[in-house]
């Protein structure tokens, strides 16, 4: 079955620490990959996306993610987090398989950055 | 451009009742998707509409239904509400083509918080 796994449900970091949030997917067809972020009290918004080409993609606010096809992973990274990065992060896969497509989101990772 | 709007923002209903939620997509967006968001479950895909046709459907019971109007506005209906239907219902619009697929990002609305007592 198609699925997206985010291994860390809650992460607490101090400002300036490095961040890596894991995302693994299980999907048999062509996939497009996304990371969305939901800041407290705000809408879900796109951080970055991967469709094809360079597997290292850069998004807004200094975030980047690397697509490793052999590991079915799309981990999110940021070298130095800020207090304002406190939010919930969702990995998402949209896959085409046998002429139909599915939108699948992970369960989310709540990040708390301590000032 | 105005963003995706959803009404109402909050709803309280009792078991057995039905509810209708509304979503207005970004102008020019013809694809509207609905999600149920609950703690620990993330976002669960309900369905997607494009040009007034349901193009894709998630694994929810038939109590959950939707429709899309010619102006791309969409409504979602839940009949015979159960306690487990309490959730944040999100609507997202995108510029996906008639062929479909996630080749464009989705823009999310603020959601409708449904509480079933």
């Amino acid at each position: 079955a198609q699925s997206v796994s985010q291994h860390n449900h809650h992460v607490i970091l101090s400002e300036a620490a490095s961040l890596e949030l894991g995302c693994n997917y299980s999907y048999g067809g062509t996939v497009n990959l996304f990371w969305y972020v939901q800041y407290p009290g705000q809408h879900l918004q796109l951080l970055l996306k991967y469709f094809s080409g360079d597997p290292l993609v850069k998004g807004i606010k200094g975030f980047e993610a690397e697509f490793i096809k052999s590991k079915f992973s799309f981990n999110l990274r940021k070298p130095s987090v800020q207090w304002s990065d406190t939010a919930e992060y969702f990995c998402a896969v949209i896959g085409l398989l046998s002429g139909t497509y599915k939108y699948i989101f992970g369960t989310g990772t709540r990040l708390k950055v301590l000032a | 451009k105005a963003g995706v709007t959803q009404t109402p923002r909050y709803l309280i209903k009792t078991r057995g009742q039905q509810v209708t939620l509304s979503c207005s997509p970004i102008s020019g967006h013809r694809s509207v998707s609905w999600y149920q968001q609950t703690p620990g479950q993330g976002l669960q895909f309900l369905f997607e509409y494009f040009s007034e046709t349901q193009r894709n459907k998630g694994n929810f019971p038939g109590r959950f239904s939707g429709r899309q109007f010619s102006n791309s506005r969409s409504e979602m209906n839940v009949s015979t509400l159960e306690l487990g239907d309490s959730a944040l219902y999100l609507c997202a619009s995108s510029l996906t083509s008639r062929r479909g697929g996630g080749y464009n990002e989705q823009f999310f609305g603020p959601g409708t918080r449904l509480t079933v007592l």
Side-chain angles (χ1 to χ4, degrees), chain A residues 45-60:
Chain A
Q45 58 184 280
L46 183 71
L47 260 183
L48 47 78
K49 58 188 177 185
Y50 172 79
F51 288 165
S52 62
D54 189 344
L56 183 63
V57 293
K58 295 189 184 300
I60 61 171

Side-chain angles (χ1 to χ4, degrees), chain A residues 19-94:
Chain A
L19 170 72
E20 180 159 4
L21 301 182
C23 173
N24 286 89
Y25 66 93
S26 170
Y27 204 87
T30 305
V31 295
N32 297 323
L33 299 152
F34 303 79
W35 275 97
Y36 282 85
V37 61
Q38 191 171 35
Y39 297 104
Q42 295 188 28
H43 307 184
L44 266 167
Q45 58 184 280
L46 183 71
L47 260 183
L48 47 78
K49 58 188 177 185
Y50 172 79
F51 288 165
S52 62
D54 189 344
L56 183 63
V57 293
K58 295 189 184 300
I60 61 171
K61 304 186 180 186
F63 286 90
E64 64 179 32
E66 185 175 12
F67 170 53
I68 302 179
K69 190 174 181 180
S70 60
K71 295 185 178 180
F72 299 93
S73 70
F74 190 56
N75 293 353
L76 181 71
R77 300 195 292 248
K78 186 171 184 179
S80 176
V81 295
Q82 301 173 312
W83 176 81
S84 58
D85 293 325
T86 295
E88 189 160 19
Y89 294 81
F90 293 91
C91 179
V93 169
I94 300 174

Side-chain angles (χ1 to χ4, degrees), chain B residues 39-61:
Chain B
Q41 295 289 320
L43 278 74
Q44 305 285 314
F45 174 68
L46 281 154
F47 27 66
E48 185 212 5
Y49 286 86
F50 182 88
S51 292
E52 303 177 64
T53 301
Q54 188 181 88
R55 188 161 68 173
N56 202 359
K57 190 177 187 305
N59 299 320
F60 277 80

